Amino acid sequence: MLLVEDLHKSFEDFTAVDGANLQVRQGELVAVIGPNGAGKTTLFNLITGHLKADRGRIRFLDREINRMAAHEICRQGIARSFQIANIFHRLSVFRNVQVSVLSQKKLSRSLFRPAQTLVVEETRRILESVGLLGKQLDIAGSLSHGDKRILEIAIALGNEPQLLILDEPTAGMSPEETASTMELVKRLARDQGLTILFCEHDMDVVFDVATHIMVMQHGRTLIQGTPEEVRRNATVQDAYLGGA
Ligand code: ADP
Ligand code: MG
């Protein structure tokens, strides 16, 4: 589904991504791990078109997406959440998701059915799938930190993505929120056939959820493999898992 080859990105004289390689197949839950500053967020920004790569290739569903603008890449079927939640704080939970569904639907289907009805149904379905339907009338800014991050996932789902990219979905969450968020991520993959690429600091979460793991260090891909392969790799153990 997604193929990243030898990707590079520098900021002035600092190279943040310096030979990243990544493969994501349909239905996989792929975790990118690596210390702070390894280049994970930059890699995600390159994939989603929020940054342009200096060189390397990014293919999504057999299309080169390197040169596409962020909104074009989104239309190809990639949606993402940010490390810091990106929501409309003064709008209701419902309206936050509705805006996203509207912008996706408006293009193609509004001629065929009353757009408003369609969008309301779709918005409610998404809110239900993430467990926020009961809070649909709440003002987004009043939600708990955990619910704000879940709302951001709901907004991303409004784009009907095939690939969902989550940048530290559990950052700042309590252990309970972390557990329920990762249950949600697994459920979305299972029930909605979503493919998910995420980065995450908590190794227990990573090894519990990921079907595949890519390890980044100094902007480079150290290894990509199954959790077992990554756990067994001596370089990864020394560099990152603390020899554990
Ligand atoms: P991670 O998400 O793995 O913690 P990042 O991709 O955020 O890492 O950052 C990788 C490196 O690139 C860091 O050293 C960071 O300071 C640097 N960096 C990221 N974005 C920029 C930018 N816009 N300008 C300059 N340096 C940046
Ligand atoms: Mg980051």
Coordinates of all heavy atoms in Angstrom, one line a residue, residues 11-12 14-17 34-43 45 51 83 167-168 199 201 216, ligand 1:
F11 N 16.8 20.3 7.1 CA 16.5 21.6 7.5 C 17.7 22.4 7.6 O 18.5 22.2 8.5 CB 15.7 21.6 8.8 CG 14.5 20.8 8.8 CD1 14.4 19.6 9.5 CD2 13.3 21.3 8.1 CE1 13.2 18.9 9.5 CE2 12.1 20.5 8.1 CZ 12.1 19.3 8.8
E12 N 18.0 23.3 6.6 CA 19.3 24.0 6.5 C 20.4 23.0 6.6 O 20.4 22.1 5.8 CB 19.3 25.1 7.6 CG 18.3 26.1 7.2 CD 18.1 27.3 8.2 OE1 18.9 27.5 9.1 OE2 17.1 28.0 7.9
F14 N 20.9 20.7 9.0 CA 20.6 19.5 9.8 C 19.7 18.5 9.0 O 18.6 18.9 8.5 CB 19.8 19.9 11.1 CG 19.5 18.8 11.9 CD1 20.5 18.2 12.7 CD2 18.2 18.2 12.0 CE1 20.2 17.1 13.5 CE2 18.0 17.1 12.8 CZ 19.0 16.5 13.5
T15 N 20.2 17.3 8.9 CA 19.4 16.2 8.2 C 18.5 15.4 9.2 O 19.0 14.7 10.0 CB 20.4 15.3 7.4 OG1 21.2 16.1 6.6 CG2 19.6 14.3 6.6
A16 N 17.2 15.7 9.1 CA 16.3 15.0 10.0 C 15.9 13.6 9.5 O 15.7 12.7 10.3 CB 15.0 15.9 10.1
V17 N 15.7 13.5 8.2 CA 15.4 12.1 7.6 C 16.6 11.8 6.6 O 16.8 12.6 5.7 CB 14.1 12.1 7.0 CG1 13.8 10.8 6.2 CG2 13.0 12.2 8.0
G34 N 11.7 4.9 17.8 CA 13.0 5.5 17.8 C 13.0 6.7 18.8 O 11.9 7.2 19.1
P35 N 14.2 7.0 19.3 CA 14.3 8.0 20.3 C 13.8 9.4 19.8 O 13.6 9.6 18.6 CB 15.8 8.1 20.6 CG 16.5 7.3 19.6 CD 15.5 6.5 18.9
N36 N 13.5 10.3 20.8 CA 13.1 11.7 20.4 C 14.1 12.3 19.4 O 15.3 12.1 19.6 CB 13.2 12.5 21.7 CG 11.8 12.9 22.1 OD1 10.9 13.1 21.3 ND2 11.6 13.1 23.4
G37 N 13.6 12.9 18.4 CA 14.5 13.5 17.4 C 15.0 12.5 16.3 O 15.8 12.9 15.5
A38 N 14.5 11.3 16.3 CA 14.9 10.3 15.3 C 14.4 10.6 13.9 O 14.9 10.1 13.0 CB 14.4 8.9 15.8
G39 N 13.3 11.4 13.9 CA 12.8 11.8 12.6 C 11.4 11.3 12.2 O 11.0 11.3 11.1
K40 N 10.8 10.7 13.3 CA 9.5 10.1 13.0 C 8.4 11.1 12.5 O 7.7 10.8 11.5 CB 9.0 9.4 14.3 CG 10.0 8.4 14.9 CD 9.5 7.8 16.2 CE 9.3 8.8 17.4 NZ 10.6 9.4 17.9
T41 N 8.3 12.2 13.2 CA 7.3 13.2 12.8 C 7.6 13.7 11.4 O 6.7 13.9 10.6 CB 7.2 14.3 13.9 OG1 6.7 13.7 15.1 CG2 6.2 15.4 13.4
T42 N 8.9 14.0 11.2 CA 9.3 14.5 9.9 C 8.9 13.5 8.8 O 8.4 13.9 7.7 CB 10.8 14.8 9.9 OG1 11.1 15.7 10.9 CG2 11.2 15.4 8.6
L43 N 9.2 12.2 9.1 CA 8.8 11.2 8.1 C 7.3 11.2 7.8 O 6.9 11.2 6.6 CB 9.2 9.8 8.6 CG 8.7 8.6 7.8 CD1 9.4 8.6 6.4 CD2 9.1 7.3 8.6
N45 N 5.3 13.7 8.1 CA 5.0 15.0 7.4 C 5.4 14.9 5.9 O 4.8 15.5 5.1 CB 5.8 16.2 8.0 CG 5.1 16.6 9.3 OD1 3.9 16.4 9.5 ND2 5.9 17.2 10.2
L51 N 5.5 18.3 4.3 CA 6.9 18.7 3.9 C 7.2 18.0 2.6 O 6.7 17.0 2.3 CB 7.9 18.2 5.0 CG 7.9 18.9 6.4 CD1 8.8 18.1 7.3 CD2 8.3 20.3 6.3
Q83 N 0.9 15.3 16.4 CA 1.4 15.0 17.8 C 0.7 15.9 18.8 O 0.5 15.5 19.9 CB 2.9 15.3 17.8 CG 3.6 14.6 18.9 CD 5.2 14.6 18.8 OE1 5.7 14.7 17.7 NE2 5.9 14.5 19.9
D167 N 0.3 10.2 14.9 CA 1.6 10.6 15.5 C 1.4 10.7 17.0 O 0.8 11.6 17.5 CB 2.0 12.0 14.9 CG 3.5 12.3 15.2 OD1 4.1 11.6 16.1 OD2 4.0 13.3 14.6
E168 N 2.0 9.7 17.7 CA 1.9 9.5 19.1 C 0.5 9.7 19.6 O 0.2 10.6 20.4 CB 2.8 10.5 19.8 CG 4.3 10.3 19.4 CD 5.3 10.9 20.4 OE1 4.9 11.1 21.6 OE2 6.4 11.2 20.0
C199 N 3.3 6.2 15.4 CA 4.5 6.2 16.2 C 4.1 6.3 17.7 O 3.1 6.9 18.0 CB 5.6 7.2 15.8 SG 5.2 8.9 16.1
H201 N 5.8 6.0 22.0 CA 6.9 5.9 22.9 C 6.9 4.6 23.7 O 7.9 4.0 24.1 CB 7.1 7.1 23.8 CG 7.8 8.2 23.2 ND1 7.4 9.5 23.0 CD2 9.1 8.2 22.6 CE1 8.3 10.2 22.4 NE2 9.3 9.4 22.1
M216 N 13.7 3.6 13.8 CA 14.4 4.8 13.2 C 15.5 5.3 14.2 O 15.2 5.3 15.4 CB 13.5 5.9 12.9 CG 13.1 6.1 11.5 SD 12.1 7.6 11.3 CE 13.1 8.4 10.2
Ligands
ADP1 P1 10.7 12.7 16.3 O1 9.3 12.8 15.9 O2 11.3 11.3 16.0 O3 10.9 13.0 17.7 P2 11.3 14.9 14.5 O4 10.9 14.4 13.2 O5 10.2 15.8 15.2 O6 11.6 13.7 15.5 O7 12.6 15.7 14.5 C1 13.8 15.2 14.0 C2 14.9 16.2 14.0 O8 14.6 17.3 13.1 C3 14.9 16.9 15.4 O9 16.3 17.1 15.7 C4 14.2 18.2 15.2 O10 14.7 19.2 16.0 C5 14.5 18.5 13.7 N1 13.5 19.3 13.0 C6 12.2 18.9 12.9 N2 11.5 19.8 12.2 C7 12.3 20.8 12.0 C8 12.2 22.1 11.3 N3 11.1 22.5 10.8 N4 13.3 22.9 11.3 C9 14.5 22.5 11.8 N5 14.7 21.3 12.4 C10 13.6 20.5 12.5

